[in-house]
Amino acid sequence: INAEYGEAVVSTQSTGYKNNITRDTMVVAIINSFTSILAGVCIYSILGFRSHETGRSLDEVSYGAGLTFIAITEAVSRMDGTPFFAFVFFFMLFNLGVSSQFGTLAGVVTPLYNDLKIFGKARKELCVALLSVIFFGIGLIFTPGNGPYLILDLFDNYPVTMPLLVVCIAEAISVGWVFGIENFDLAIRDMTGAPCPTYFKICIKYISPVLMIVLLAWTLVESIMNPQQYDVFTNCNPDDIVTGRNVSFTKEEVLPVGARVAGGFMVALCTVPVAVYACWKHMTLKELKECIKGTRQYTIGETTRRGNEVSTVKVNYVAE
């Protein structure tokens, strides 16, 4: 569950207004951290084994798609009960991919369908199907021969990394400063009956924005000072494979200027609409002054349906 992709926000639609969000936050953070640690132990043990077997460094052993389809597959092939573990591994990959797409697509469909209403009165299922077909067509550009080299690296480093940082920074500033951490604490008290932990409030208002801004600045400087490189396929000599020679069929080259310009355009395309829409839809000059003074009122609540009855729960928060 990633905050920047929108899955966490969309998933709250299935929970009640009085849901214990503090508990859910702790559970998700612990599970995510434990999963990352477990995956790191498993993957690096396999990479260490391959490095020992081939006599090459960890950086040269495998990365990217090769980590899944070469390194881990080789390790599975050497286990007892290879067919079973191979099935379990790739079935896990399939489930991870499908479940990730459910959350990511929901984060796209929900604002387009519910907030912007660009699909009119069309059924939501049809909108999901249309967007799925569009995204499938976009995904086809990664399948040609140069897809895993230039195009995938370009998309992975430009329109993914920096825009996500911008979105996270915007979320932290919106909650901690625009909405106000005091209002946020009142909202948590109203929903859970308990105050927001002080650690969370300090992280949301100070630590997280500062760290992410520093990371974004470092990423921008690094991308300018050290332009991204990608692997260019050079040749494939069958004799090298037969004789077992340790050769590389790729070489690193700097991204062309046109590709870097396209990457910068994609970054702007992902980030500028966030600021423009936020200012146009949710912020006037008067509201901005109220946010700075901490006197702006917010209406928060939910609408629940019980048969034909519709009841609305709304609470106003204003910083003291």
Side-chain angles (χ1 to χ4, degrees), residues 19 21 27 30-31 60 109 156 163 176-177 187 210 221 251 256 259 281:
N19 180 59
I21 189 174
V27 170
I30 292 173
I31 293 177
E60 299 174 334
V109 173
D156 193 36
W177 295 91
V210 170
V221 173
K251 65 177 181 179
K281 185 70 176 181

Side-chain angles (χ1 to χ4, degrees), residues 92-315:
M92 176 197 69
L93 287 182
F94 173 78
N95 285 321
L96 287 175
V98 171
S99 60
S100 297
Q101 289 305 309
F102 282 158
T104 303
L105 192 60
V108 176
V109 173
T110 300
L112 294 180
Y113 188 84
N114 295 345
D115 298 332
L116 298 179
K117 302 185 184 301
I118 65 173
F119 296 106
K121 297 182 179 180
R123 293 183 57 183
K124 194 171 186 178
E125 293 82 358
L126 296 177
C127 303
V128 173
L130 175 63
L131 288 175
S132 298
V133 172
I134 294 174
F135 292 150
F136 174 78
I138 296 175
L140 291 179
I141 66 176
F142 300 103
T143 58
N146 61 344
Y149 299 101
L150 174 60
I151 302 177
L152 182 59
D153 287 344
L154 184 65
F155 272 79
D156 193 36
N157 288 278
Y158 282 95
V160 174
T161 305
M162 285 184 279
L164 291 183
L165 281 174
V166 172
V167 171
C168 286
I169 293 171
E171 289 179 346
I173 293 177
S174 298
V175 174
W177 295 91
V178 178
F179 179 61
I181 202 65
E182 298 85 0
N183 292 330
F184 181 75
D185 182 60
L186 291 174
I188 296 298
R189 288 174 185 268
D190 184 67
M191 288 186 287
T192 65
C196 178
T198 304
Y199 170 75
F200 286 168
K201 292 193 290 185
I202 295 175
C203 284
I204 293 173
K205 189 169 185 177
Y206 300 108
I207 299 178
S208 296
V210 170
L211 290 179
M212 287 188 292
I213 290 173
V214 171
L215 182 59
L216 178 62
W218 179 85
T219 303
L220 289 172
V221 173
E222 181 69 16
S223 63
I224 295 173
M225 301 297 294
N226 300 307
Q228 179 191 344
Q229 295 182 334
Y230 72 107
D231 290 331
V232 179
F233 183 79
T234 55
N235 59 15
C236 181
N237 189 349
D239 295 334
D240 294 333
I241 302 177
V242 174
T243 57
R245 291 178 56 193
N246 188 10
V247 296
S248 175
F249 302 121
T250 62
K251 65 177 181 179
E252 289 188 344
E253 289 189 1
V254 177
L255 278 177
V257 176
R260 280 179 278 168
V261 172
F265 175 76
M266 287 188 289
V267 170
L269 190 64
C270 295
T271 54
V272 172
V274 175
V276 172
Y277 181 78
C279 295
W280 168 70
K281 185 70 176 181
H282 301 290
M283 188 64 64
T284 63
L285 184 60
K286 178 182 177 182
E287 292 170 337
L288 180 60
K289 293 179 180 179
E290 292 175 349
C291 290
I292 296 175
K293 295 179 181 179
T295 59
R296 185 184 178 190
Q297 288 190 340
Y298 298 87
T299 300
I300 300 178
E302 66 167 354
T303 300
T304 58
R305 294 181 178 273
R306 299 182 181 89
N308 295 325
E309 177 188 359
V310 179
S311 58
T312 302
V313 180
K314 292 184 178 179
V315 183

Side-chain angles (χ1 to χ4, degrees), residues 47-69:
L47 292 180
F49 170 76
R50 284 201 83 218
S51 176
H52 176 74
E53 288 286 302
T54 60
R56 304 172 69 179
S57 65
L58 286 177
D59 294 337
E60 299 174 334
V61 171
S62 186
Y63 65 93
L67 179 63
T68 301
F69 297 106

